Amino acid sequence: MGKTVLVLMGSPRKGGNSDRLSDEFMRGAREAGHEAEKIYLKDKVIGACLGCLACQGTGGRCVQNDDMDELYEKIKAADSVALASPVYFYTWNALMKTALDRTVAIVADMTDKTFYLIGVGQAPSERYMATMIDCFRKYVGCFRAGDSREGGYVFGYGVDKPGEVEGTPAMGLAYEMGKSV
Ligand SMILES: Cc1cc2nc3c(=O)[nH]c(=O)nc-3n(C[C@H](O)[C@H](O)[C@H](O)COP(=O)(O)O)c2cc1C
């Protein structure tokens, strides 16, 4: 049976490099028989985590009522979650970080999911993406008790202007990663 694949798109640039890489990832996933959906975090109203931890005593209900309510349901329902973001100052951008912080409310529901990372940056090689990869691994590691895992990552290197990722090896790698979901 096909899996449910959710792409959280952190870039504020629709049609930008991470967006295009995500499309290749989704194309691969769909061709492999899975359902794939992309959510643009830019279009959502998502407040920063207040750190009140009220969610820990209310079965995962956040005190904020915003578009995370919709995302919580989508993340819970997904078999695979891809975090797509440009590298901003060596890690994922604020839109992504804000949404991920809010998932503290649903830690108990992060069971049996596979996480992917789709990144792009101006820097020329993986060496410069080490912080983002480390953040990704440690984020996924928080759900290891629920049997969630890392599925892989792909980066577009040396890309800045929207669309520059087209024609780079990252496109094929993203497609293959999608097929392997
Ligand atoms: C605020 C800001 C910080 C950035 N910091 C980095 C960085 O640390 N490393 C890097 O490789 N690229 C950096 N970049 C470049 C972006 O990652 C690059 O333009 C990327 O292609 C944007 O992705 P998008 O097209 O998906 O929006 C930065 C860009 C911005 C706007």
Side-chain angles (χ1 to χ4, degrees), residues 11 13-21 120 156-168 171:
S11 174
R13 299 200 299 187
K14 285 189 184 174
N17 294 308
S18 39
D19 202 10
R20 290 175 197 220
L21 269 192
V120 296
Y157 303 114
V159 296
D160 205 14
K161 295 191 184 73
E164 277 184 340
V165 77
E166 300 279 357
T168 72
M171 296 290 278

